[in-house]
Amino acid sequence: MSEMLKGIAASDGIAVAKAYMLVQPDLSFTKKSVTDSDSELKRLDDALGQSVSELEVIRQKAAENLGESEAQVFDAHIMILSDPEMIGQIKEAISTNHVNAESALKEVTDMFVSIFEGMEDNKYMQERAADIKDVTKRVLAHLLNVTLPNPALINEEVIVVAHDLTPSDTAQLDRKYVKAFVTDIGGRTSHSAIMARSLEIPAIVGTKKITAKVSENDILAVDGIKGEAIIHPTPEEIAAFKAEADKFAAQKAEWDKLKNAETKTLDGKHFELAANIGTPKDLTGVLNNGAEGIGLYRTEFLYMDSPDFPTEEDQFNAYKAVLEGMEGKPVVVRTMDIGGDKKLPYLTLPEEMNPFLGYRALRISLSDLGEGMFRTQLRALLRASVYGNLRIMFPMVATLGEFREAKEMFLEEKARLEKEGVAVSETIQLGIMIEIPAAAVIADKFAKEVDFMSIGTNDLIQYTMAADRMNEQVSYLYQPYNPSILRLIKHVIDSCHKEGKWAGMCGEMAGDQMAVPLLVGLGLDEFSMSATSVLKTRSLMSKLDTKKMAELATKAVEDCDTLDDVVALVHEYVPE
């Protein structure tokens, strides 16, 4: 019998396929005494063999999809499984102590992990500890006869079902096979949702119980537009979903006609529609959707997709590819935004009670720990700048002092490169991301020193409302159209215009069809969003009159008391 689950519509599109459970299996076991040690030794050898075969396939896939350097981590995993010292000790524990293979494996590997983790001054050995943990999990899964999911191994059409998806999980999803995904937790601004829109695959998040309701290979129908998933859909329901998919395809075909059109309102005013990207691979989606620039290049994925700090040369090549690919159109590159939920296995950050309010982004870049990484990134950006129209944006800026310090480092690296005879563009713009209310409040001061400001609404809203955007209990407070948020946005835009600077927005609100009329009315210059939202936003803007929208925005900011008041007002000014 079919069952419908509702969640948050996170990425448009409709799909029907079987479920692939990206859920960690239960690896618990009981320690047992055994009399037949030989059969336990055979079980161990079989599990080791299966793990090596699996890792060889994963390694090959990683080399094809992510490159040779990314694949090398799996060489280390394969080597661990053939290490005579460790495997010898596990076998000895089985034979001498007469215990089951699971127990011997865990006991010996725990000891090695503990020794390596204790070598605090030896980064290499600490990394080996992480590798041993990973490998132990794989062998244990084979001993317990349970499946360890690996998104890189998916080779047929599926809908991924997970409690949540980490940025690295999402980066491994292959659009050819992954037709959609559905999660228990998350919101429209969680990284998994943002990545789904970049990959152009339907997604529903925050269903609360999809992993409890669905089993491997169950058929699922997913509507990412309405936020509805049907488990075990009937033939009639599948037919209805396919009809909706055809309707959506027809709507997309209409939007596609606007691909090469200029973004203009009904009364002829031009706005810049740009796209957000995570890697150079996202360029295809940007160009296919007719974006007029890149308003946010999230460079942290360069760091997250690498087994170690990316070199200056690696970064230079990535930035150069994007700048050349955009053929002179503006490209806003955000410097590394590590921290919060974006961690690097090779960078040890302190444990924090509130990592989203802690040591992250520019705060790391300006510290002793991160300064070397930051300067390497700035040099790579400066070298790439001659290949296009580069704008650099610093994230998580709270004070003018932070911006000045970052700018000083930028100018030092520029002078160094010029002294070395390296060509550098003279037209690089330096700006900041407005995501901390403190910076928004003194936007008039920042506007005198920066070249531009881009409003990161995902964080600005959660910090202004003191409501974690990943927490379902307070999700009602994630209110983009609340008059308090609109007032902050207005102040930032007005401050920029007063100093002759441009104001952009790179948070998800920029592509929100309810917010666009308000933002047009507030005079936002540049809207940057998931590439998939560009054409429908261009279509909506062509129906808007800027004078009428300015009147709407003024009423929303001055007369409305609540989010509901603002929504009602938008419906009044912009009928469906």
Side-chain angles (χ1 to χ4, degrees):
M1 203 175 110
S2 69
E3 181 184 356
M4 183 191 280
L5 273 186
K6 281 200 75 78
I8 297 162
S11 180
D12 289 350
I14 290 158
V16 180
K18 62 184 185 180
Y20 177 91
M21 302 302 289
L22 189 56
V23 176
Q24 291 303 318
D26 178 9
L27 295 178
S28 57
F29 62 88
T30 310
K31 184 174 182 175
K32 292 178 192 160
S33 295
V34 294
T35 48
D36 185 359
S37 294
D38 287 345
S39 70
E40 289 303 303
L41 290 168
K42 182 176 184 323
R43 282 181 69 230
L44 177 71
D45 280 333
D46 288 347
L48 291 169
Q50 287 168 311
S51 298
V52 169
S53 305
E54 208 168 66
L55 284 164
E56 282 167 351
V57 176
I58 293 169
R59 191 217 181 282
Q60 184 193 338
K61 285 264 186 191
E64 287 166 14
N65 299 332
L66 304 167
E68 193 57 35
S69 63
E70 185 77 4
Q72 283 169 5
V73 68
F74 299 109
D75 289 334
H77 287 197
I78 292 165
M79 277 173 65
I80 289 166
L81 290 178
S82 54
D83 177 54
E85 176 69 23
M86 193 170 82
I87 304 302
Q89 287 195 37
I90 297 167
K91 289 184 171 180
E92 193 182 328
I94 291 171
S95 305
T96 311
N97 304 335
H98 302 289
V99 290
N100 55 338
E102 292 89 339
S103 155
L105 170 78
K106 194 81 172 70
E107 191 181 302
V108 172
T109 55
D110 278 356
M111 178 192 73
F112 275 91
V113 166
S114 159
I115 291 168
F116 291 167
E117 280 185 340
M119 299 179 180
E120 286 177 14
D121 55 346
N122 190 325
K123 194 174 124 205
Y124 175 82
M125 295 314 274
Q126 289 197 315
E127 282 170 8
R128 293 298 70 78
D131 289 339
I132 292 170
K133 279 184 190 170
D134 241 18
V135 166
T136 303
K137 212 158 69 168
R138 188 170 300 282
V139 179
L140 203 47
H142 285 297
L143 284 172
L144 297 167
N145 211 14
V146 295
T147 307
L148 206 59
N150 189 313
L153 292 181
I154 296 172
N155 60 2
E156 58 182 331
E157 289 195 359
V158 295
I159 288 170
V160 168
V161 173
H163 178 64
D164 190 18
L165 284 168
T166 65
S168 56
D169 283 335
T170 326
Q172 290 182 65
L173 301 182
D174 185 337
R175 273 183 61 198
K176 187 170 149 195
Y177 299 121
V178 177
K179 296 292 144 191
F181 69 72
V182 190
T183 65
D184 289 333
I185 66 167
R188 260 194 73 80
T189 57
S190 53
H191 287 292
S192 52
I194 292 166
M195 286 291 280
R197 291 192 285 277
S198 293
L199 290 165
E200 298 191 51
I201 57 174
I204 302 172
V205 297
T207 63
K208 295 187 172 70
K209 50 192 175 187
I210 190 82
T211 53
K213 296 273 186 181
V214 175
S215 301
E216 192 83 22
N217 296 326
D218 282 353
I219 298 296
L220 275 179
V222 170
D223 184 336
I225 304 163
K226 293 179 185 162
E228 294 172 354
I230 298 180
I231 307 160
H232 304 302
T234 63
E236 293 77 20
E237 285 168 332
I238 290 175
F241 263 69
K242 291 195 169 157
E244 282 296 318
D246 291 343
K247 210 160 105 186
F248 182 60
Q251 172 70 84
K252 278 186 78 176
E254 276 303 304
W255 290 335
D256 282 347
K257 292 176 185 170
L258 298 171
K259 183 177 157 183
N260 299 314
E262 199 182 348
T263 306
K264 277 189 174 173
T265 57
L266 191 60
D267 54 328
K269 187 163 190 314
H270 174 257
F271 289 87
E272 189 174 295
L273 277 194
N276 300 337
I277 66 166
T279 74
K281 285 189 284 190
D282 296 338
L283 264 185
T284 311
V286 171
L287 300 171
N288 288 345
N289 285 284
E292 297 162 297
I294 286 170
L296 170 63
Y297 177 179
R298 300 182 179 92
T299 58
E300 55 274 13
F301 289 104
L302 269 172
Y303 295 79
M304 291 165 75
D305 291 345
S306 173
D308 206 338
F309 295 110
T311 64
E312 184 180 316
E313 207 57 33
D314 290 338
Q315 294 190 60
F316 163 72
N317 288 324
Y319 306 144
K320 176 175 179 266
V322 172
L323 286 160
E324 284 185 329
M326 290 308 289
E327 298 179 336
K329 291 179 181 138
V331 175
V332 178
V333 177
R334 179 174 74 185
T335 58
M336 55 174 195
D337 187 4
I338 300 301
D341 62 344
K342 291 173 280 188
K343 298 197 166 44
L344 303 178
Y346 50 84
L347 177 68
T348 308
L349 295 175
E351 281 299 315
E352 298 177 289
M353 287 285 284
N354 290 304
F356 282 95
L357 299 177
Y359 186 49
R360 56 174 289 207
L362 193 66
R363 297 166 182 187
I364 295 176
S365 301
L366 298 180
S367 70
D368 290 344
L369 176 69
E371 185 184 335
M373 288 164 66
F374 186 50
R375 286 183 182 273
T376 299
Q377 181 171 36
L378 290 174
R379 282 176 68 86
L381 283 165
L382 281 156
R383 285 173 54 204
S385 65
V386 291
Y387 295 95
N389 182 359
L390 176 66
R391 300 167 176 182
I392 297 174
M393 173 163 72
F394 303 126
M396 204 66 186
V397 176
T399 69
L400 263 166
E402 288 170 330
F403 171 71
R404 288 168 181 162
E405 197 178 335
K407 182 179 180 179
E408 186 58 35
M409 286 190 198
F410 166 82
L411 292 172
E412 284 168 8
E413 293 309 321
K414 182 172 183 279
R416 246 179 227 141
L417 284 168
E418 286 170 340
K419 199 174 173 187
E420 291 165 23
V422 178
V424 169
S425 168
E426 289 302 326
T427 58
I428 303 169
Q429 292 188 9
L430 285 190
I432 61 168
M433 198 161 168
I434 295 280
E435 47 199 326
I436 296 176
V441 170
I442 58 161
D444 52 325
K445 305 288 185 191
F446 275 107
K448 295 179 193 308
E449 301 193 26
V450 303
D451 296 317
F452 68 93
M453 292 183 216
S454 185
I455 306 164
T457 49
N458 303 358
D459 274 342
L460 181 65
I461 296 166
Q462 78 166 343
Y463 293 146
T464 304
M465 304 300 283
D468 179 355
R469 61 187 164 108
M470 309 295 183
N471 183 335
E472 275 77 39
Q473 273 62 46
V474 293
S475 59
Y476 74 95
L477 285 167
Y478 190 81
Q479 299 184 1
Y481 337 116
N482 187 293
S484 61
I485 303 296
L486 297 178
R487 286 182 184 193
L488 279 178
I489 291 170
K490 181 182 190 308
H491 179 56
V492 172
I493 296 170
D494 291 349
S495 298
C496 284
H497 291 173
K498 193 178 170 197
E499 297 296 333
K501 312 292 171 65
W502 64 269
M505 181 179 287
C506 56
E508 289 304 308
M509 186 177 173
D512 182 327
Q513 304 297 284
M514 179 70 66
V516 168
L518 292 161
L519 298 171
V520 164
L522 290 169
L524 187 73
D525 302 295
E526 180 243 36
F527 294 63
S528 191
M529 59 200 69
S530 301
T532 47
S533 299
V534 168
L535 292 174
K536 67 176 176 185
T537 304
R538 183 168 292 155
S539 172
L540 171 61
M541 282 187 174
S542 69
K543 302 176 178 75
L544 304 177
D545 178 278
T546 51
K547 292 182 196 68
K548 203 173 160 194
M549 293 309 106
E551 191 182 294
L552 159 69
T554 301
K555 282 188 182 176
V557 169
E558 292 178 7
D559 301 342
C560 290
D561 299 335
T562 67
L563 165 122
D564 293 337
D565 294 345
V566 174
V567 170
L569 193 65
V570 174
H571 283 309
E572 190 186 310
Y573 272 78
V574 189
E576 286 288 318

